[in-house]
């Protein structure tokens, strides 16, 4: 089971079925701020949508193909972070994250991401982690840069969100870069 205490009341726990109502409430109450850069809040309309996401996440966990964890600060759910997949053949994964509005700007994602990076490189022995951030999402890009990720390029018109096409900037970090930082 994935569970990490990051100190100062900050904890990561594997996303489980019992978290569905709490997770849905956090998404619902922060739909506008999360949805400014991510599409999933538009598709998360009821608790059953969250339950289905949790089931998919737990299946990925069981198949060792990625997982999501909840980020807790002082016992309050403040966000989520996860590895979208784990490709052992290429030694690669993608890290994704989001926070509730009140938790932004406090270094929480950076701390949680550090733990996931350590897990991906030290425990899973992967070679590369990518972070994809919508062009213009400076907070997400700042997290990647702060952690030593290099900007690798931009995928034009990667996704359509709120009636407009958004480019996606890809950041990458190699295991050798992490070990020397």
């Amino acid at each position: 089971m994935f569970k990490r205490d990051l100190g100062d009341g900050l904890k990561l726990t594997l996303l489980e079925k019992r978290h569905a109502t709490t997770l849905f409430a956090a998404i619902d109450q922060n739909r506008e701020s999360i949805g400014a850069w991510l599409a999933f809040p538009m598709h998360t309309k009821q608790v059953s949508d969250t339950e289905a996401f949790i089931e998919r996440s737990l299946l990925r966990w069981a198949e060792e193909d990625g997982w999501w964890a909840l980020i807790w600060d002082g016992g309050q759910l403040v966000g989520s972070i996860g590895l979208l997949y784990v490709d052992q053949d290429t030694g690669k994964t993608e890290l994704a994250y989001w926070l509730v509005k009140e938790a932004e700007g406090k270094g929480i994602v950076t701390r949680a991401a550090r733990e996931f990076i350590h897990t991906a490189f030290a425990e899973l022995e992967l070679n590369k982690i990518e972070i994809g951030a919508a062009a213009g999402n400076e907070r997400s890009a700042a997290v990647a840069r702060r952690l030593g990720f290099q900007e690798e390029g931009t995928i034009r018109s990667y996704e359509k969100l709120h009636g407009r096409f958004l480019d996606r900037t890809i950041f990458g970090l190699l295991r050798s870069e992490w070990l020397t930082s």
Side-chain angles (χ1 to χ4, degrees):
M1 194 63 64
F2 184 85
K3 185 175 183 179
R4 302 288 195 276
D5 186 337
L6 304 179
D8 302 320
L10 198 60
K11 296 182 183 189
L12 301 174
T13 61
L14 185 67
L15 184 56
E16 298 177 42
K17 291 178 184 179
R18 65 188 173 96
H19 297 127
T21 302
T22 304
L23 180 58
F24 176 77
I27 294 165
D28 196 40
Q29 292 165 8
N30 292 273
R31 193 172 297 283
E32 188 175 319
S33 63
I34 299 167
W37 301 110
L38 299 169
F40 80 87
M42 292 184 299
H43 308 293
T44 307
K45 298 176 182 172
Q46 50 197 4
V47 174
S48 62
D49 297 326
T50 305
E51 291 169 340
F53 171 74
I54 292 171
E55 287 178 24
R56 290 189 306 273
S57 179
L58 289 172
L59 181 60
R60 285 190 172 281
W61 170 261
E63 294 175 347
E64 298 180 350
D65 187 26
W67 73 92
W68 280 88
L70 296 177
I71 305 170
W72 304 89
D73 187 13
Q76 294 293 317
L77 175 64
V78 296
S80 190
I81 186 167
L83 298 180
L84 299 182
Y85 62 88
V86 174
D87 187 334
Q88 290 293 348
D89 292 335
T90 62
K92 189 170 81 168
T93 189
E94 183 176 349
L95 183 64
Y97 42 79
W98 61 268
L99 285 177
V100 299
K101 183 84 173 147
E102 308 83 55
E104 292 177 358
K106 298 178 181 179
I108 292 171
V109 165
T110 301
R111 289 175 60 193
R114 249 189 216 107
E115 186 62 36
F116 264 73
I117 292 166
H118 172 78
T119 300
F121 288 146
E123 296 176 27
L124 301 177
E125 298 180 348
L126 297 176
N127 184 58
K128 185 177 184 184
I129 302 171
E130 292 179 346
I131 293 175
N137 186 347
E138 292 305 320
R139 283 189 183 269
S140 187
V143 168
R145 290 184 184 106
R146 193 175 306 121
L147 292 166
F149 283 71
Q150 302 298 310
E151 187 173 325
E152 296 187 338
T154 300
I155 302 171
R156 298 176 301 149
S157 293
Y158 179 82
E159 64 186 334
K160 190 173 184 180
L161 189 62
H162 307 299
R164 62 189 172 113
F165 287 98
L166 298 178
D167 295 346
R168 175 160 292 207
T169 304
I170 304 299
F171 297 88
L173 180 67
L174 300 177
R175 184 173 186 219
S176 60
E177 295 165 339
W178 180 256
L179 294 174
T180 60
S181 63

